[in-house]
Amino acid sequence: MELKERLQPHAVLVPLPLQGHITPFTHLAMKLASKGFTITFVNTESTHQQIAKAQSLKDEENPFSHAEESGLDIRYAKINDGFPLSFDRRDNASQFVEGLIHVFQAHVDDFIENLVLSKPNPPISCIIADSFHVWASTIAKKYNLVNVSFWTEPATVLTVYYHMDLLKSNGHFGCYDKCEDTIRYIPGVQAIEPSDLPSYCQDADPNTVMHRFVFKCIEDAQKADVVIGNTVQELESSTISALQEKQPFYAIGPVFPTSFTKRIISTSLLPASDYTNWLNSKQDGTVLYISFGSLANLSKQDILEIAQGILISKVSFIWVLRHNILVSGERNILPLGFEEETTGRGLVVPWCSQLAILSHPAVGGFLTHCGWNSILESIWCKVPMVCFPILTDQFTNRKLVVDDWRTGLNLCTGRLIRRKVVAENIGRIMSKSDELRKNIEKTQMILQNALSDEGSSEKNLNQFIEDMNNKILQKK
């Protein structure tokens, strides 16, 4: 018994405080806890406040309380991110990112030190930090913890970041007169266009605070003992093989809600309403779901062309339009008369439970910004995509969806949106194209098989746990 307790891993999980990172981290916590881990899940106080407000929780309430009732050992903690709760992190993004680079580490350090001194049972043995944190290697070393980096994007994006030196030396990054020829020299990536690189590798000025942050994070992730990725071996096999030559990398995705608990732990930072009744009134496969995620901004012109394209297409739709989606911050988002003209066939909503929408039989297409969680969920629910990447990894994700797996279409070429092209591509995605449906069913089967008992992701997860336990023993 003593040996078992001594070997029981206790992982501290620290996601980046953004919706697209908190969601897979929450599901990872559930997955690892169901495999016998003790988890201490750490949110920032600001993130917790948003979750508590969105879920109508009391401030002291643990979002994982339902998991605990099911016998999972998930402990919950909040730490300060270096800013007062009243500070607007979105409107002051540059300041906030500077804080994540220079200040947040001290708060994590204090928390880990106090946790170690409190002598929890079992003692903490590893830290699983978001790859987009700059401090994981320093803190893991200081407290003698196994350093696990959780990469929440495709392996292709990580390998591009890992080879920035090649991009620079070949003139594809960090110079004003950049090469535009196809890139064929990144290990594990057969060919990629410069326009399909993550936005931080495309920008003319690579010296902004966001660039400094991302590159510093990648530098730190390379020092991790282990990287676990929210992807599937069979979907990115050559890329993953190339990554594994650099450091241990385990593809354990898609990291979805575990069936271990009867209730799914909600991860939303915004209040979500239920639109099931409205969807129930629509025929199978006739509704287009439109969402550009929790972070990306669009211009008013983009919204206008998409709205006009929807009107021309005459499609039934449910459109998630956050109040802060416009670059200008203006609240008057849609063109005059749009909602009146689409009464009955369209629904414009501030936020929703995406999985609940995508898994509804009425939904037949998804116009998406190509966030990685959105892509995995869309494939899982067998809903083909119209792709409109806006920032970060989304350009590379679009390449995987449209060019590699052929499970979606481009909304437009480049950034210039034209309403007729929007209408045309919406029509194509909603026409139940045999090729698209066949491809997405095939890709969905790959995801499903990976999570089966004998699947690659399940085997990789078990191997990761075994290897991590060995690393924990080596540190004792």
Side-chain angles (χ1 to χ4, degrees):
M1 184 65 184
E2 261 182 37
L3 182 66
K4 191 184 175 199
E5 278 179 11
R6 193 160 58 82
L7 290 175
Q8 186 182 353
H10 181 170
V12 177
L13 269 63
V14 191
L16 191 71
L18 294 174
Q19 182 72 77
H21 295 252
I22 291 160
T23 299
F25 257 87
T26 301
H27 302 327
L28 178 66
M30 302 282 284
K31 199 177 268 268
L32 292 176
S34 69
K35 296 270 187 186
F37 273 63
T38 291
I39 301 292
T40 294
F41 193 99
V42 182
N43 266 331
T44 65
E45 288 166 353
S46 168
T47 297
H48 175 77
Q49 190 184 54
Q50 289 175 72
I51 290 172
K53 193 176 171 189
Q55 313 308 325
S56 303
L57 300 174
K58 292 176 185 150
D59 189 53
E60 69 283 358
E61 214 171 320
N62 177 355
F64 289 96
S65 54
H66 297 297
E68 286 180 337
E69 286 163 18
S70 302
L72 300 184
D73 189 359
I74 303 180
R75 304 160 193 188
Y76 184 70
K78 300 168 280 184
I79 59 174
N80 189 276
D81 60 12
F83 295 89
L85 286 172
S86 58
F87 178 79
D88 192 322
R89 288 149 180 80
R90 186 187 180 89
D91 285 355
N92 303 285
S94 292
Q95 274 175 277
F96 181 52
V97 170
E98 290 284 13
L100 288 176
I101 297 172
H102 300 293
V103 183
F104 187 49
Q105 179 174 335
H107 293 277
V108 178
D109 197 328
D110 274 355
F111 172 77
I112 299 286
E113 183 178 30
N114 290 330
L115 188 58
V116 169
L117 291 172
S118 72
K119 296 190 177 350
N121 183 21
I124 62 167
S125 46
C126 71
I127 187 159
I128 302 180
D130 200 303
S131 303
F132 286 104
H133 280 311
V134 301
W135 42 258
S137 61
T138 309
I139 285 179
K141 189 177 178 184
K142 182 175 177 180
Y143 296 101
N144 198 33
L145 303 172
V146 176
N147 176 13
V148 180
S149 189
F150 182 29
W151 181 251
T152 57
E153 296 176 359
T156 304
V157 176
L158 185 60
T159 206
V160 166
Y161 281 140
Y162 273 11
H163 292 94
M164 298 292 290
D165 55 335
L166 290 178
L167 291 172
K168 275 182 188 169
S169 62
N170 283 277
H172 283 109
F173 171 71
C175 48
Y176 285 100
D177 192 20
K178 283 192 296 197
C179 291
E180 293 302 325
D181 53 317
T182 303
I183 298 162
R184 300 185 189 276
Y185 50 77
I186 296 175
V189 180
Q190 197 176 3
I192 187 167
E193 298 303 321
S195 57
D196 291 330
L197 294 172
S199 62
Y200 299 120
C201 303
Q202 293 188 45
D203 296 339
D205 178 11
N207 299 307
T208 70
V209 61
M210 276 310 301
H211 290 80
R212 278 193 292 115
F213 173 65
V214 169
F215 302 148
K216 205 169 165 54
C217 292
I218 296 300
E219 201 180 300
D220 199 71
Q222 287 176 294
K223 297 172 186 171
D225 295 314
V226 175
V227 179
I228 49 176
N230 188 17
T231 186
V232 177
Q233 193 90 31
E234 290 82 357
L235 288 184
E236 300 186 272
S237 55
S238 59
T239 310
I240 290 167
S241 297
L243 275 173
Q244 284 166 337
E245 288 179 24
K246 283 187 162 282
Q247 72 191 123
F249 182 97
Y250 302 83
I252 62 164
V255 182
F256 281 162
T258 175
S259 56
F260 196 80
T261 53
K262 287 174 188 165
R263 249 176 105 169
I264 289 171
I265 305 298
S266 181
T267 58
S268 183
L269 300 182
L270 293 167
S273 299
D274 185 359
Y275 302 103
T276 310
N277 287 342
W278 186 85
L279 285 167
N280 287 345
S281 69
K282 304 297 174 194
Q283 288 182 354
D284 287 2
T286 59
V287 175
L288 175 71
Y289 170 58
I290 309 161
S291 175
F292 303 112
S294 58
L295 194 65
N297 288 123
L298 275 73
S299 70
K300 190 145 189 183
Q301 187 60 32
D302 290 340
I303 296 283
L304 174 70
E305 293 298 322
I306 290 166
Q308 294 298 343
I310 289 167
L311 289 176
I312 295 166
S313 74
K314 301 200 182 315
V315 71
S316 291
F317 64 91
I318 182 162
W319 188 353
V320 175
L321 265 185
R322 303 185 330 266
H323 68 83
N324 58 2
I325 197 167
L326 289 183
V327 177
S328 63
E330 192 185 337
R331 294 293 185 100
N332 186 14
I333 300 172
L334 286 164
L336 203 62
F338 177 84
E339 291 190 72
E340 290 77 6
E341 207 172 322
T342 57
T343 303
R345 72 174 173 92
L347 207 55
V348 178
V349 304
W351 198 245
C352 68
S353 165
Q354 184 159 284
L355 261 178
I357 301 285
L358 286 172
S359 57
H360 196 285
V363 174
F366 181 12
L367 172 46
T368 172
H369 65 310
C370 296
W372 187 235
N373 293 325
S374 294
I375 286 170
L376 291 175
E377 289 168 5
S378 201
I379 291 170
W380 187 261
C381 298
K382 295 191 278 197
V383 177
M385 290 159 268
V386 182
C387 297
F388 182 55
I390 300 165
L391 74 167
T392 67
D393 60 318
Q394 295 159 15
F395 298 94
T396 314
N397 301 350
R398 179 222 63 84
K399 173 205 182 294
L400 294 171
V401 169
V402 177
D403 303 339
D404 296 12
W405 309 329
R406 302 188 182 280
T407 53
L409 306 168
N410 287 323
L411 179 70
C412 53
T413 307
R415 280 287 298 157
L416 194 63
I417 303 180
R418 289 282 176 260
R419 59 192 67 181
K420 284 186 178 172
V421 177
V422 172
E424 198 179 289
N425 282 319
I426 287 172
R428 284 174 68 200
I429 208 85
M430 299 304 291
S431 69
K432 300 182 174 60
S433 147
D434 281 350
E435 192 197 348
L436 276 176
R437 304 277 157 187
K438 236 180 260 176
N439 290 342
I440 204 152
E441 277 180 28
K442 193 168 73 183
T443 314
Q444 196 260 7
M445 279 304 294
I446 291 170
L447 263 60
Q448 218 169 30
N449 290 340
L451 293 182
S452 67
D453 289 347
E454 292 302 309
S456 61
S457 291
E458 184 65 15
K459 283 180 175 173
N460 288 342
L461 181 63
N462 291 332
Q463 189 62 53
F464 155 67
I465 292 168
E466 190 182 321
D467 292 352
M468 200 183 66
N469 277 327
N470 288 335
K471 287 180 189 295
I472 291 167
L473 283 173
Q474 285 164 22
K475 285 186 177 286
K476 286 191 179 289

